[in-house]
């Protein structure tokens, strides 16, 4: 059968009549064959001596004779010819054509049988090969294949279990489809296109290659573009192939061409955009009809874009979209705003939009009232875009908004924003609050915003948003208050205490038990930035029972009961800073002392000294320990000794007081970290000494201040010095003195060193350190009045000044 499929001629097989009858194929007559090509002639011509040849073959023969300088001869008889004239053999050609048509019909019939069920793989492949070859010969054959209903049968072969059959079927359909729209429609009938698309994701590269080639042919028909694009996953797979770095280059190029063909359908353009191929959509957005531009802009606003895509869209269409904002219809402005909302949420794309001039029309749309104002839902979009632009931190402060040279941080603009916040709906309120959060997050603009808030009297209004029922508004307001609290803490504290319920709501946020959120971190951070010695606020926090809750939260974090995330450090820092404030009320509030004892705050703050990486928490803990330690001399229990008896008045040897063991060396009483907050008993001294080596001067200042309480008046200073000496704390304090990092550190170090030098043995050892003497001399020369007095006494201890040459009035340490 192979000989018949490939058109070859075999005289032996030709004589086998039963064979031809079985195939329903007429034998090839000798006269049909060209003596030169041994193939059936298509354009037979007769030469001078009556022999017949294929025109193209004999013309080539005569040319070779001429080129070699020989006279033309008959290739069959080798007889010289006088003429090379060719006479068409019309009758023979017609006979051959009729024979060919009958044979083609018979062979197509054979192909139908070979493509049916039960055929062997070899017969099926031969049949497909035959169909492909005859379709390559003429368009009439393609019509014959279609009329013979072979196309659906070939399409069914795509589901064959044989990979060879599937590949050959794809090849055959590709040839059948070339330049024949009718055949393409037949191929695309049913679910054949879906089947072809499936081959695009097959592991076998040859199947992918043939499927792409076939799909390329089909995609040339505009009527099939929608059907191809409508197959689930087709566009995505093609986009992946077109951008592949590992696929065959021809496959990649054809996938790209398929996508270009499919771009003619608007639905496909949208599908491509959804799958990351944005250029066709942007092309139609920029060059399409007004209706198409509007449609594409609206669709762009619905897409979820990657950051890279946002930058690409901003670069390509940002200026055009901004122009629509300035002069488009309300429908066009709506579409443009929604698209700009999508692409403004990334820093790099926001920067491009700023350069494209988005800020002036954006602010104008927000502030315009009356007949020309935008609907509220669009003002909400404008506010969202503005919040996105500000959040990007991309140099918006210098952009001029109008002819009056106003910028986004100008006082009048901020006043208008604050007014708009107070006179609009929750959605716009939230976005404008978020925009103010962005403005106050920048060190270059926060002072402008703070000044405008103060001058507008908006402080109480902002505080009241803490009670907003909408969580996003509440969160934005708390973040804003946190940002501005370092610059207007007193005003915010007064406003917080002067309103009803807001402080309780704030504490409620901090107390929530749903992990640690950004809102909780901002809320406790806001409280932590308010004046630390605001006794009124501290008492309000006590009344709200905030401190027990804070203690519980701190302990849970330290014990690992609350999972850490990116907000755990700032949250813990805020908790510790707020908790430390309770120690400022110890002096006159016995209830606070009881609270501190019940919760063992001194031990907790001692443990918090080791929160490495959270400097402010360490600093607040050291400051709290200083305040607690100052109360130790009042809280230590001095043992009551019995009065001397009658014998003691007669015999002095009986008047000696009994020795009480187990008392605190510094306070000479019964001390503990829990009850009397004693640093010595709580092992806090060593941890405070470790903090003296901290990089942050504020931490060192707080740690040194706490250590100074063991050298304070009212305690055993000499024993305090020995405690520091035994804990290896003398040299670190001397190093602080010698480094002279800040004025506060010098003052505290000079005070501590003077107390230390009162112990003669230590003074003798230190006196040989010239650097200590130099540091004391510098303090004596350049320190403020009290520091100079103390430095003078210290210099006397190391014999650098004579005792009789006091210059200043002696002042008790």
């Amino acid at each position: 059968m192979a000989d018949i499929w490939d058109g070859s001629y075999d005289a032996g097989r030709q004589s086998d009549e039963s064979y031809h009858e079985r195939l329903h194929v007429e034998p090839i007559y000798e006269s049909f064959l060209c003596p030169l090509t041994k193939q059936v002639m298509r354009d037979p011509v007769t030469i001078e001596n009556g022999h017949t040849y294929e025109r193209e073959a004999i013309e080539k023969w005569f040319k070779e004779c001429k080129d070699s300088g020989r006279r033309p001869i008959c290739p069959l008889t080798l007889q010289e010819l006088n003429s090379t004239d060719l006479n068409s053999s019309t009758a023979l050609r017609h006979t051959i054509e009729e024979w060919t048509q009958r044979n083609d019909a018979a062979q197509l019939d054979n192909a139908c049988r070979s493509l049916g069920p039960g055929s062997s793989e070899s017969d099926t492949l031969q049949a497909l090969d035959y169909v492909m070859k005859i379709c390559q010969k003429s368009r009439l054959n393609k019509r014959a294949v279609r009329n013979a209903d072979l196309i659906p049968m070939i399409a069914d072969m795509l589901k064959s279990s044989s990979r060879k059959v599937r590949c050959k079927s794809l090849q055959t359909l590709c040839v059948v489809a070339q330049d024949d729209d009718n055949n393409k429609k037949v191929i695309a009938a049913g679910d054949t296109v879906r089947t072809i698309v499936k081959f695009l994701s097959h592991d076998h590269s040859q199947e992918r290659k043939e499927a792409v080639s076939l799909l390329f042919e089909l995609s040339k028909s505009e009527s099939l573009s929608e059907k191809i694009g409508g197959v689930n996953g087709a566009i995505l797979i093609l986009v992946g192939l077109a951008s592949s770095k590992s696929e065959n280059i021809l496959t990649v190029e054809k996938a790209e061409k398929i996508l270009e063909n499919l771009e003619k359908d608007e639905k496909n353009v949208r599908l491509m955009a959804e799958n990351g191929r944005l250029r066709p959509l942007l092309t139609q957005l920029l060059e399409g009809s007004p209706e198409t531009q509007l449609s594409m802009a609206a669709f762009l606003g619905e897409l979820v874009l990657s950051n890279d895509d946002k930058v690409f869209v901003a670069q390509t269409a940002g200026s055009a979209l901004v122009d629509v904002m300035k002069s488009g219809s309300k429908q066009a402005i709506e579409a443009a705003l929604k698209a700009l909302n999508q692409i403004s949420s990334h820093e790099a794309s926001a920067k491009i939009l700023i350069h494209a001039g988005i800020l002036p029309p954006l602010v104008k749309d927000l502030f315009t009232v009356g007949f020309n104002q935008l609907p509220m839902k669009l003002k909400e979009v404008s506010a969202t875009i503005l919040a996105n632009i500000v959040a990007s931190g991309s140099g918006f402060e210098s952009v001029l908004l109008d002819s009056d040279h106003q910028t986004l941080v100008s006082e009048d603009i901020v006043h208008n924003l604050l007014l708009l916040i107070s006179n609009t709906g929750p959605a716009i309120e939230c976005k404008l609050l978020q925009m103010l959060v962005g403005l106050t997050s920048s060190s270059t603009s926060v002072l402008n915003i703070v000044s405008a808030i103060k001058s507008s009297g908006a402080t109480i209004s902002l505080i009241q948003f803490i009670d907003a029922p909408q969580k996003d508004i509440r969160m934005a307001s708390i973040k804003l208050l946190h940002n501005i609290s370092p610059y207007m803490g007193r005003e915010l504290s007064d406003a917080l205490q002067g309103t009803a319920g807001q402080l309780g709501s704030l504490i409620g946020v901090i107390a929530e038990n749903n992990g640690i959120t950004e809102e909780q971190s901002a809320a406790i951070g806001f409280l932590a930035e308010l004046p630390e010695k605001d006794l009124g606020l501290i008492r309000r926090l006590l009344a709200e029972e905030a401190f027990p809750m804070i203690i519980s939260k701190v302990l849970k974090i330290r014990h690992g009961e609350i999972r850490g995330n990116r907000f755990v450090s700032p949250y813990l820092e805020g908790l510790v800073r707020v908790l430390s404030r309770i120690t400022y009320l110890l002096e006159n509030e016995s209830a606070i002392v009881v609270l501190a004892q019940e919760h063992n705050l001194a031990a907790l703050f001692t443990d918090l000294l080791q929160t490495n990486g959270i400097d402010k928490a360490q600093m607040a803990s050291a400051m709290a320990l200083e305040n607690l330690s100052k109360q130790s001399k009042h809280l230590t229990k001095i043992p009551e000794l019995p009065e001397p008896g009658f014998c003691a008045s007669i015999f002095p040897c009986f008047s000696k007081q009994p020795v009480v063991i187990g008392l605190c060396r510094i306070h000479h009483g019964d001390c503990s970290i829990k009850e009397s907050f004693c640093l010595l008993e709580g092992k806090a001294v060593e941890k405070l000494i470790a903090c003296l080596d901290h990089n942050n001067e504020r931490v060192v200042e707080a740690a040194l201040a706490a250590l100074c309480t063991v050298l304070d008046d009212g305690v055993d200073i000499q024993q305090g010095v020995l405690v520091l000496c035994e804990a290896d704390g003398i040299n670190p304090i001397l190093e602080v003195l010698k480094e002279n990092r800040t004025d506060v550190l010098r003052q505290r170090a000079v005070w501590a060193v003077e107390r230390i030098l009162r112990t003669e043995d230590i003074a003798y050892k230190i006196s040989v350190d010239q650097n200590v003497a130099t540091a004391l001399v510098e303090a004596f020369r350049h320190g403020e009045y009290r520091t100079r007095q103390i430095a003078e006494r210290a210099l006397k201890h190391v014999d650098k000044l004579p005792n009789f040459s006091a210059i200043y009035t002696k002042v008790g340490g």
Side-chain angles (χ1 to χ4, degrees):
M1 186 180 287
D3 295 332
I4 298 301
W5 290 132
D6 64 18
S8 63
Y9 171 69
D10 186 325
R13 295 291 296 274
Q14 182 187 17
S15 63
D16 188 352
E17 293 183 2
S18 63
Y19 174 78
H20 293 293
E21 288 174 0
R22 180 166 56 86
L23 295 177
H24 305 287
V25 176
E26 295 182 31
I28 299 176
Y29 299 99
E30 189 73 30
S31 60
F32 290 178
L33 299 177
C34 171
L36 288 172
T37 65
K38 302 297 189 282
Q39 299 292 325
V40 175
M41 292 180 285
R42 290 176 296 174
D43 187 9
V45 293
T46 304
I47 62 174
E48 180 183 298
N49 64 0
H51 288 287
T52 303
Y53 299 91
E54 179 68 55
R55 180 186 294 275
E56 184 179 348
I58 194 63
E59 285 177 345
K60 181 179 179 183
W61 173 269
F62 287 157
K63 184 177 182 300
E64 289 175 353
C65 289
K66 182 179 179 181
D67 291 344
S68 64
R70 295 183 290 111
R71 289 181 61 80
I73 61 174
C74 173
L76 195 60
T77 64
L78 301 180
Q79 175 187 355
E80 286 191 7
L81 302 173
N82 295 319
S83 171
T84 57
D85 291 344
L86 304 176
N87 297 312
S88 295
S89 299
T90 306
L92 179 59
R93 185 175 74 247
H94 288 163
T95 300
I96 291 173
E97 288 175 352
E98 291 172 358
W99 174 88
T100 301
Q101 290 174 5
R102 290 195 301 276
N103 266 8
D104 285 346
Q107 293 198 64
L108 283 176
D109 184 56
N110 289 330
C112 288
R113 290 197 296 274
S114 295
L115 293 174
S119 297
S120 67
E121 180 185 88
S122 61
D123 283 354
T124 303
L125 291 172
Q126 290 166 2
L128 292 170
D129 198 47
Y130 168 73
V131 173
M132 186 165 59
K133 287 181 178 179
I134 66 168
C135 287
Q136 288 171 334
K137 290 180 181 179
S138 71
R139 296 191 64 177
L140 289 175
N141 288 343
K142 293 183 179 181
R143 182 190 302 171
V145 168
R146 180 174 71 250
N147 293 337
D149 290 330
L150 273 171
I151 295 176
M153 299 177 71
I154 299 171
D156 284 342
M157 292 296 102
L158 296 176
K159 301 174 183 178
S160 169
S161 60
S162 167
R163 180 178 292 167
K164 291 182 180 179
V165 170
R166 295 196 300 267
C167 280
K168 182 62 73 172
S169 300
L170 290 167
Q171 288 177 338
T172 305
L173 288 174
C174 187
V175 173
V176 169
Q178 285 174 358
D179 302 319
D180 193 315
D181 285 345
N182 290 324
N183 281 1
K184 290 175 184 176
K185 290 179 182 177
V186 177
I187 293 172
D191 67 345
T192 304
V193 174
R194 186 182 304 276
T195 303
I196 297 168
V197 169
K198 288 181 180 179
F199 282 105
L200 299 180
S201 56
H202 275 208
D203 293 335
H204 194 249
S205 60
Q206 187 64 28
E207 286 181 309
R208 289 200 304 275
K209 177 184 174 184
E210 300 301 343
V212 168
S213 296
L214 174 54
L215 210 56
F216 172 56
E217 288 300 326
L218 297 178
S219 70
K220 293 177 182 178
S221 172
E222 288 191 32
S223 62
L224 297 181
S225 290
E226 183 177 349
K227 183 163 190 176
I228 296 171
V231 174
N232 186 33
I235 297 291
L236 175 59
I237 296 171
L238 287 166
V239 169
L241 285 173
S243 59
S244 174
K245 303 298 182 183
S246 58
E247 191 63 61
N248 178 281
I249 185 64
L250 295 177
T251 301
V252 171
E253 290 175 354
K254 282 195 175 178
E256 178 65 32
K257 290 178 181 177
I258 294 171
L259 290 169
E260 290 173 2
N261 291 337
L262 298 183
E263 288 172 12
K264 299 180 181 70
D265 183 80
E266 189 172 307
K267 290 182 180 178
N268 289 340
V269 171
R270 296 183 181 214
L271 285 169
M272 290 179 197
E274 287 178 349
N275 290 290
R277 187 180 173 91
L278 290 165
R279 189 172 294 280
L281 182 145
L282 297 180
T283 299
Q284 294 201 19
L285 175 64
L286 297 173
E287 302 174 4
S289 65
E291 294 79 11
T292 299
Q293 289 179 330
L294 182 60
S295 172
M296 292 297 118
F299 184 72
L300 183 60
E302 298 171 4
L303 287 176
V304 177
L305 302 174
S306 69
N307 287 340
D308 288 343
D309 286 340
K310 291 173 185 177
V311 172
F312 175 65
V313 173
Q315 291 171 333
T316 307
S319 295
L321 291 169
V322 171
D323 289 341
V324 172
M325 286 180 60
K326 296 177 181 177
S327 57
S329 64
K330 285 193 175 180
Q331 191 177 10
I333 290 173
E334 179 177 0
L337 283 173
K338 289 181 178 178
L340 289 166
N341 183 29
Q342 277 290 332
I343 61 178
S344 64
S345 58
H346 176 54
E347 180 179 344
S349 54
K351 187 174 182 179
I352 294 170
L353 293 178
I354 290 173
H355 289 305
I358 192 174
L359 282 179
L362 203 58
V363 174
K364 180 182 177 183
D365 286 343
L366 271 175
F367 291 163
T368 298
V369 294
F371 179 75
N372 292 321
Q373 74 173 356
L374 289 179
M376 278 300 172
K377 66 175 184 177
L378 293 188
K379 284 199 173 189
E380 179 186 345
V381 180
S382 296
T384 304
I385 298 171
L386 192 55
N388 290 341
I389 295 290
V390 170
S392 72
S394 300
F396 51 82
E397 301 96 335
S398 59
V399 178
L400 299 181
L401 302 178
D402 52 32
S403 57
D404 295 330
H405 298 88
Q406 299 262 41
T407 69
L408 205 54
V409 297
S410 295
E411 188 171 57
D412 287 347
I413 297 296
V414 178
H415 281 174
N416 286 334
L417 288 171
L418 292 168
L419 184 63
L420 189 59
I421 289 173
S422 301
N423 294 280
T424 190
I428 297 179
E429 283 176 351
C430 179
K431 299 306 177 183
L432 293 179
L433 284 170
Q434 289 173 352
M435 187 207 68
L436 288 176
V437 170
L439 289 173
T440 53
S441 297
S442 168
S443 59
T444 58
S445 58
V446 61
L447 292 178
N448 299 72
I449 308 305
V450 168
S451 175
I453 290 173
K454 288 180 178 179
S455 62
S456 67
T459 306
I460 292 179
S461 298
L462 295 177
I463 290 286
Q464 289 173 340
F465 279 118
I466 296 174
D467 271 339
Q470 298 85 4
K471 185 174 181 178
D472 51 356
I473 292 179
R474 184 185 72 188
M475 179 174 174
S477 69
I478 291 173
K479 290 171 68 176
L480 173 60
L481 293 169
H482 180 209
N483 287 351
I484 63 177
S485 56
Y487 308 95
M488 48 186 301
R490 172 52 58 191
E491 295 90 338
L492 291 173
S493 180
D494 292 344
L496 193 59
Q497 295 176 66
T499 55
Q502 277 74 36
L503 182 58
S505 298
L506 198 64
I507 293 170
V509 170
I510 298 167
E512 289 176 357
N513 292 314
N514 52 351
I516 300 174
T517 65
E518 184 181 12
E519 183 181 23
Q520 287 179 295
S521 176
I524 194 66
F526 165 44
L527 277 182
E529 290 294 344
L530 299 181
E532 60 187 17
K533 296 182 181 180
D534 187 332
L535 301 185
L537 178 60
I538 297 172
R539 289 190 174 93
R540 284 288 303 275
L541 290 171
L542 277 168
E544 297 284 350
E545 298 185 347
F547 291 111
M549 176 273 295
I550 290 174
I551 293 168
S552 174
K553 291 284 186 182
V554 171
L555 289 172
K556 286 181 178 179
I557 293 174
R558 295 298 287 171
H559 295 157
E561 296 177 26
I562 297 179
R563 288 187 177 182
N565 57 25
R566 62 195 178 103
F567 301 114
V568 67
S569 292
Y571 183 65
L572 178 60
E573 175 191 299
L575 291 173
V576 176
R577 292 175 66 191
V578 174
L579 180 59
S580 68
R581 297 179 181 195
I582 198 173
T583 62
Y584 289 103
L585 286 180
L586 290 168
E587 190 73 38
N588 301 310
E589 300 277 351
S590 59
I592 304 300
V593 173
V594 173
L595 180 66
Q597 291 170 333
E598 288 178 352
H599 293 281
N600 201 3
L601 286 189
L604 178 58
F605 284 119
T606 299
D607 176 61
L608 289 167
L609 288 173
Q610 297 173 305
T611 50
N612 296 326
I614 312 180
D615 293 2
K616 290 184 178 180
Q618 290 177 292
M619 180 179 68
S621 298
M623 292 169 64
L625 287 173
E626 177 192 4
N627 294 334
L628 288 163
S629 182
K630 285 179 179 179
Q631 300 305 310
S632 296
K633 56 190 176 185
H634 306 302
L635 298 174
T636 188
K637 296 178 180 178
I638 306 297
E640 294 183 5
L641 300 177
E643 291 291 331
F646 175 74
C647 293
S649 62
I650 301 174
F651 305 102
C653 60
F654 289 105
S655 64
K656 186 177 181 181
Q657 293 287 344
V659 177
V660 182
I661 61 172
L663 299 181
C664 175
R665 295 164 57 186
I666 301 174
H667 303 111
H668 299 304
D670 186 10
C671 280
S672 70
I673 185 69
K674 182 176 181 180
E675 298 298 331
S676 63
F677 318 137
C678 178
L679 300 184
L680 177 60
E681 296 298 324
K683 311 299 182 186
V685 174
E686 293 83 355
K687 294 176 182 178
L688 287 166
I689 290 171
C691 290
L692 297 181
D693 192 38
H694 204 286
N695 291 327
N696 188 325
E697 290 89 350
R698 298 290 304 280
V699 175
V700 179
E701 290 172 4
L704 183 56
L707 287 170
C708 285
T709 60
V710 302
L711 304 174
D712 209 350
D713 293 335
V715 304
D716 191 324
I717 297 175
Q718 186 173 15
Q719 285 298 317
V721 172
L722 292 177
V723 166
L724 293 176
C725 185
E726 291 166 4
D728 295 325
I730 302 297
N731 284 333
I733 294 174
L734 295 177
E735 287 299 318
V736 171
L737 173 67
K738 290 185 283 186
E739 288 175 0
N740 191 21
R741 293 160 74 180
T742 67
D743 288 340
V744 172
L745 276 176
R746 180 164 66 181
Q747 292 168 14
R748 289 181 176 170
V750 168
W751 186 93
V753 169
E754 190 276 328
R755 298 264 165 152
I756 291 169
L757 292 176
R758 293 180 187 181
T759 302
E760 292 184 5
D761 291 346
I762 295 177
Y764 177 75
K765 293 178 181 179
I766 293 175
S767 64
V768 299
D769 188 339
Q770 188 58 43
N771 291 326
V772 173
T774 301
L776 289 172
V777 169
E778 287 297 306
F780 176 68
R781 293 178 59 203
H782 304 295
E784 47 81 39
Y785 178 74
R786 180 171 174 76
T787 300
R788 291 169 68 187
Q789 286 184 312
I790 299 171
E792 178 193 7
R793 293 204 299 271
L795 286 168
K796 289 178 180 179
H797 294 321
V798 291
D799 295 330
K800 297 299 180 182
L801 282 176
N803 284 328
F804 57 82
S805 61
I807 299 174
Y808 303 100
T809 306
K810 185 176 182 180
V811 178

